[in-house]
Amino acid sequence: MKIALWILIFLGTFSIMEFMAWFTHKYVMHGFLWSLHKDHHKKDHDSWFERNDAFFIFYALVSMVCFYLGAETEFWYGWPLGFGILAYGIAYFMVHDIFIHQRFKWFRSANNWYARGVRRAHKIHHKHLGKQDGECFGMLVVPFKYFKK
């Protein structure tokens, strides 16, 4: 029974992280912490790193706190929570940083319907250089219209 609950918590956390990414992107990154996110929309530096990477570090720390609580306290569900956040972070990094923005030159030939839809949605998001008038703030789940030809 506990393993089924563990898996359910993990999958639920992974799924909720898509909403958290959308919410954080729309209301925090394009809101009061635009100063950290704007270099992602308009590259004004020569560094491989962006101020925007601070958001990745924040969620990594949340995941690590969950692992710590799972290991050092009776908060056993810290493990599936931490792994759910970690798994989403890995998926986000693979799709956003590697596949879309090509921070590493991998997955360049991926051209299936999902890959094209995610690329289109992200391209539409990045056509806005300012923090206002943005659209399509999700990452792994994007509106169906971007999957149409």
Side-chain angles (χ1 to χ4, degrees):
M1 177 62 175
K2 192 171 184 179
I3 190 72
L5 186 55
W6 200 101
I7 292 169
L8 187 63
I9 293 169
F10 168 80
L11 293 173
T13 302
F14 183 92
S15 299
I16 289 168
M17 284 304 296
E18 175 67 10
F19 168 76
M20 289 303 301
W22 173 87
F23 181 88
T24 303
H25 193 179
K26 183 168 183 162
Y27 295 109
V28 177
M29 294 177 180
H30 282 258
F32 66 94
L33 287 180
W34 174 250
S35 61
L36 292 176
H37 185 61
K38 68 182 174 184
D39 70 337
H40 181 65
H41 281 263
K42 186 175 183 189
K43 191 166 172 127
D44 60 357
H45 56 83
D46 294 327
S47 174
W48 185 82
F49 291 100
E50 300 175 346
R51 291 182 298 273
N52 184 63
D53 294 333
F55 296 104
F56 169 77
I57 293 167
F58 169 77
Y59 281 111
L61 289 172
V62 171
S63 180
M64 288 188 285
V65 166
C66 289
F67 289 139
Y68 174 80
L69 292 173
E72 299 296 327
T73 70
E74 296 296 317
F75 189 74
W76 66 265
Y77 39 93
W79 286 105
L81 289 170
F83 277 114
I85 295 167
L86 173 63
Y88 185 85
I90 292 168
Y92 188 97
F93 181 75
M94 298 293 283
V95 171
H96 182 263
D97 290 293
I98 295 177
F99 174 67
I100 293 173
H101 288 291
Q102 292 289 300
R103 285 176 95 171
F104 296 100
K105 306 301 182 201
W106 304 339
F107 310 123
R108 294 183 122 181
S109 61
N111 199 27
N112 60 54
W113 69 273
Y114 178 75
R116 287 190 304 270
V118 169
R119 266 198 217 109
R120 277 187 205 118
H122 206 73
K123 187 173 184 173
I124 293 298
H125 176 75
H126 273 270
K127 79 177 184 176
H128 304 285
L129 296 179
K131 76 181 208 175
Q132 304 301 328
D133 302 321
E135 57 185 290
C136 199
F137 293 94
M139 176 49 51
L140 302 179
V141 178
V142 297
F144 184 70
K145 67 182 180 179
Y146 297 108
F147 296 104
K148 297 178 182 175
K149 285 193 175 193

